[in-house]
Amino acid sequence: MTSLLPRAPIRDDGRHREAGSRAGDLTLDNWQDAPHNRWAFAHVAELVPTAPIAHRPAVESAREVVGLEAMRSSMPDLPTRLEESYTDALVVVRDGELVAEHYREGFGPDGLHLLMSVSKSLCGLTIGTLVDEGVIDPDRRVDHYVPALAGSAYGDAKVQQVLDMTVDVDYDEDYRNPASEVQAQDRVAGWRTRLPGDPADTYAFLAALRGGGEHGVRFRYCSAGTDVLAWIVESVTGTRYADAVSERLWSRLGCRNDARITIDPGGFGFANGGISCTARDLSRVGVLMLGDGVIDGRRVVSAEWVRRTIEGGDPDAAAGSVFQRVHPGGAYSNQWWITGSDRGDFYAVGIHGQFIWVDPATRSVVVKFSSWPEPVTEGWNRLHAELFRDICDAVG
């Protein structure tokens, strides 16, 4: 059973601190584990095939690292807290302006880092642009858009139920269990060594998933659902998922760099966790959400979609979850986590400590890349909620 508290640091032998060189014993089956993940999360394209998510060249501005000076007086313990939480990068934006940032040794502003499930929230926004245009109806069944999923766990689910992860599906999300569906999906995606009998690609994997219960009743976190959404995107746009994200989101954000996404043998982009980008570029997503779908005067997604995301989700569906032990009254909506707190903060998160934290109360966005030794624990999530709120208050 996974501990509910962060484990003691594993840096004592110095291996986890080594960020600039590849460990000699790194393999396809251990690159997600500490201490290898510190190097691997910043070099995914050297381990797994990837495709670009192209940006549109932005107006150049100063690239110097801003540093943490804006928060040192009110948060003198911040460097220690960042070190103890395995931070690879931290970017803080207030009212659309970069006010503080920090990078571990060997990593910097132009470094791409794996987002893990923060990728899901980018998919939610991409879907939102298609809903805005009337191309996707959230109340339609999945198999209306992807007939190949008829008979699967997702075929008779509504698109909105997939967005909110209330689909009943037989899927074990235990990242440490070799027999789990999430590890099987990793193998299909090229993230682990394939085993005999594994589906040929993600399309085949998704079509083989089964359920049987009632949809829309209970929150059930399942990474496969995001890839179902990506398949819908491909079906309605007639383009690869990476190209759709580029056209509809990344190229409209004013990003400085291309993002990248891992691809499986069928060319399918691993939408649920495979995107890598820079911390500064990722902060643009948070700025977009604070701007009700507008950034630098450009409308990317409707204010209605952003509002429905922030105010949506069913807290009762998530009752009893680990998430609600950290955020009582919280909910999951359109692939984003809504805390339900008085300050109205919400976030995107990926295992091993990747975050976009959005705090409307202070008009702040915090992006953090990490290489936690554990995929996820209640303790790590609680610690980071406190950290991000302290940071937002320090710059507010």
Side-chain angles (χ1 to χ4, degrees):
M1 179 179 295
T2 303
S3 170
L4 293 182
L5 296 175
R7 292 187 177 181
I10 61 169
R11 294 194 181 93
D12 296 348
D13 63 0
R15 295 177 69 208
H16 200 259
R17 196 185 299 272
E18 293 177 4
S21 61
R22 175 174 174 167
D25 55 352
L26 183 146
T27 70
L28 192 61
D29 292 314
N30 68 17
W31 66 271
Q32 298 180 64
D33 302 328
H36 308 295
N37 58 353
R38 171 144 279 192
W39 182 91
F41 287 177
H43 297 85
V44 172
E46 298 180 41
L47 302 166
V48 184
T50 64
I53 298 175
H55 75 301
R56 182 175 299 152
V59 176
E60 285 296 313
S61 58
R63 286 178 175 264
E64 291 78 10
V65 175
V66 175
L68 299 175
E69 287 71 19
M71 294 180 292
R72 286 189 185 278
S73 60
S74 53
M75 291 189 69
D77 62 342
L78 180 58
T80 299
R81 292 170 76 175
L82 296 180
E83 173 69 14
E84 290 180 348
S85 61
Y86 301 90
T87 303
D88 296 325
L90 178 81
V91 164
V92 183
V93 174
R94 171 76 187 276
D95 287 324
E97 298 294 327
L98 178 65
V99 296
E101 60 186 330
H102 167 80
Y103 301 92
R104 60 142 168 94
E105 183 179 355
F107 194 70
D110 292 322
L112 273 62
H113 193 286
L114 185 63
L115 305 185
M116 290 297 191
S117 289
V118 172
S119 305
K120 292 179 171 69
S121 301
L122 305 188
C123 183
L125 284 169
T126 303
I127 289 281
T129 67
L130 292 162
V131 172
D132 290 341
E133 295 176 16
V135 178
I136 293 176
D137 179 352
D139 289 326
R140 285 264 193 184
R141 285 170 45 138
V142 168
D143 56 12
H144 171 79
Y145 298 104
V146 184
L149 286 172
S152 75
Y154 284 93
D156 62 348
K158 294 180 180 179
V159 174
Q160 189 63 57
Q161 292 167 340
V162 185
L163 283 161
D164 295 343
M165 291 202 184
T166 59
V167 174
D168 184 83
V169 55
D170 296 331
Y171 189 99
D172 183 355
E173 189 90 13
D174 185 345
Y175 307 105
R176 297 299 196 193
N177 179 9
S180 67
E181 280 78 12
V182 73
Q183 281 213 13
Q185 192 168 7
D186 272 6
R187 297 195 303 271
V188 170
W191 283 34
R192 299 179 187 271
T193 302
R194 293 181 64 88
L195 296 178
D198 282 341
D201 55 27
T202 302
Y203 301 109
F205 175 85
L206 297 174
L209 289 175
R210 295 293 182 264
E214 183 179 358
H215 304 312
V217 176
R218 182 171 65 94
F219 172 69
R220 183 182 179 89
Y221 189 83
C222 175
S223 288
T226 307
D227 295 297
V228 168
L229 294 172
W231 195 348
I232 293 172
V233 170
E234 291 193 341
S235 179
V236 301
T237 65
T239 64
R240 286 295 197 184
Y241 177 69
D243 295 331
V245 176
S246 169
E247 177 186 349
R248 298 187 155 274
L249 181 65
W250 207 251
S251 66
R252 302 181 183 183
L253 288 174
C255 295
R256 193 188 299 273
N257 300 91
D258 288 353
R260 299 199 70 85
I261 186 168
T262 68
I263 55 173
D264 73 3
F268 187 87
F270 203 33
N272 82 70
I275 294 178
S276 295
C277 69
T278 71
R280 287 182 178 180
D281 282 348
L282 189 61
S283 72
R284 306 286 291 171
V285 177
V287 173
L288 177 74
M289 296 295 285
L290 276 180
D292 293 329
V294 173
I295 188 166
D296 295 340
R298 295 184 301 276
R299 166 96 28 216
V300 178
V301 69
S302 69
E304 174 66 11
W305 183 262
V306 175
R307 184 192 65 77
R308 286 167 55 190
T309 299
I310 297 171
E311 298 178 0
D314 181 5
D316 290 339
S321 65
V322 173
F323 168 64
Q324 282 203 352
R325 291 205 292 271
V326 180
H327 303 289
Y332 190 81
S333 176
N334 289 341
Q335 306 280 288
W336 286 79
W337 299 88
I338 316 303
T339 68
S341 74
D342 291 340
R343 59 196 298 160
D345 39 19
F346 58 96
Y347 64 103
V349 62
I351 60 172
H352 296 283
Q354 327 316 322
F355 288 91
I356 310 171
W357 186 274
V358 184
D359 185 53
T362 61
R363 303 290 299 169
S364 301
V365 175
V366 183
V367 165
K368 187 175 188 286
F369 293 158
S370 318
S371 45
W372 298 347
E374 290 293 318
V376 62
T377 69
E378 179 183 333
W380 278 122
N381 285 340
R382 190 180 302 280
L383 180 152
H384 279 74
E386 294 171 357
L387 173 65
F388 296 144
R389 286 167 177 159
D390 287 348
I391 288 173
C392 291
D393 289 340
V395 299

